[in-house]
Amino acid sequence: MKVQLLLLLLTLVTTAFSGRGETICDMQAARDWCDRTMLHRVEGVWRYPDDQTTVLVRRSAAGDGRYDIVVVESPDTRLQPGETIGYLEATPVGTKFEMGVYRTKTGGVLRELGRCAAELNDKEDALLVKGRKLKFSLGSRWLLPSFWRLIRITLKDPLESLPKGLVRVYPPGARRQPDYL
């Protein structure tokens, strides 16, 4: 009985973690991987709308609690499908992650890891990315005569207020409302 229970447990564990080191090189392979894997809430296929790159977020093969960000499709020819370009690391808050993405590629090697914060939205269909911001202002009006101190010019771009991040492509989010007959 103990042997059967151990074999059943071993089968469940290998099924849950099957394909962690598998190379994913196209959208169909990424969808197939998602269909046969027990996914965590952040795992799946995501798209960067800013640069039209599609990635697969999956648990790291190292089993260190991180999630790898793997390129599935990209118009940028420097990024190869199946290449790991970054990671997500869980934090004590279940919807917030530390995100690291490589910024440059030199001689075929990804370099310059940029880190930021990422947070799942309420519907879990978007991963909002918040990077560091540096704001510098010089009060030049203090150097001008008193008349010019009255004038202030500011420019606000509505595109700057749009959130940045990733949008879930697959699997689609769970329905929140029941279907009525």
Side-chain angles (χ1 to χ4, degrees):
M1 182 67 169
K2 288 182 181 181
V3 173
Q4 289 174 343
L5 186 60
L6 183 62
L7 287 174
L8 179 62
L9 183 62
L10 183 61
T11 304
L12 288 173
V13 168
T14 55
T15 302
F17 290 102
S18 65
R20 294 287 173 219
E22 175 184 347
T23 302
I24 306 294
C25 294
D26 63 4
M27 189 63 166
Q28 187 59 44
R31 286 179 184 233
D32 291 343
W33 182 86
C34 289
D35 289 341
R36 70 174 185 272
T37 306
M38 294 173 50
L39 300 177
H40 285 175
R41 66 192 317 178
V42 75
E43 287 183 300
V45 180
W46 297 82
R47 184 182 248 329
Y48 286 100
D50 291 342
D51 61 3
Q52 301 301 312
T53 298
T54 305
V55 297
L56 172 69
V57 175
R58 66 178 179 183
R59 282 171 272 184
S60 174
D64 56 359
R66 283 189 173 190
Y67 299 88
D68 292 332
I69 301 173
V70 180
V71 175
V72 175
E73 296 173 345
S74 177
D76 187 350
T77 57
R78 295 172 294 177
L79 298 176
Q80 301 299 317
E83 186 172 42
T84 301
I85 60 168
Y87 70 88
L88 285 173
E89 188 169 345
T91 64
V93 178
T95 59
K96 295 185 180 189
F97 300 87
E98 175 186 320
M99 182 178 190
V101 177
Y102 293 101
R103 297 183 202 175
T104 60
K105 188 172 184 180
T106 311
V109 178
L110 292 166
R111 301 179 190 276
E112 214 178 309
L113 184 67
R115 293 179 20 197
C116 58
E119 181 176 2
L120 275 172
N121 68 349
D122 294 337
K123 295 180 182 178
E124 296 184 358
D125 62 355
L127 194 60
L128 305 174
V129 176
K130 298 174 186 170
R132 293 183 183 126
K133 290 188 180 181
L134 175 65
K135 184 176 179 181
F136 176 77
S137 64
L138 176 63
S140 60
R141 62 190 172 104
W142 298 109
L143 302 174
L144 299 172
S146 62
F147 172 76
W148 294 106
R149 289 184 195 171
L150 301 173
I151 298 175
R152 291 185 186 176
I153 298 174
T154 58
L155 174 65
K156 290 189 178 182
D157 185 3
L159 294 176
E160 289 179 7
S161 65
L162 290 176
K164 302 290 183 194
L166 295 97
V167 178
R168 185 184 298 272
V169 175
Y170 192 81
R175 291 185 178 174
R176 304 230 182 254
Q177 299 293 325
D179 289 335
Y180 294 102
L181 297 176

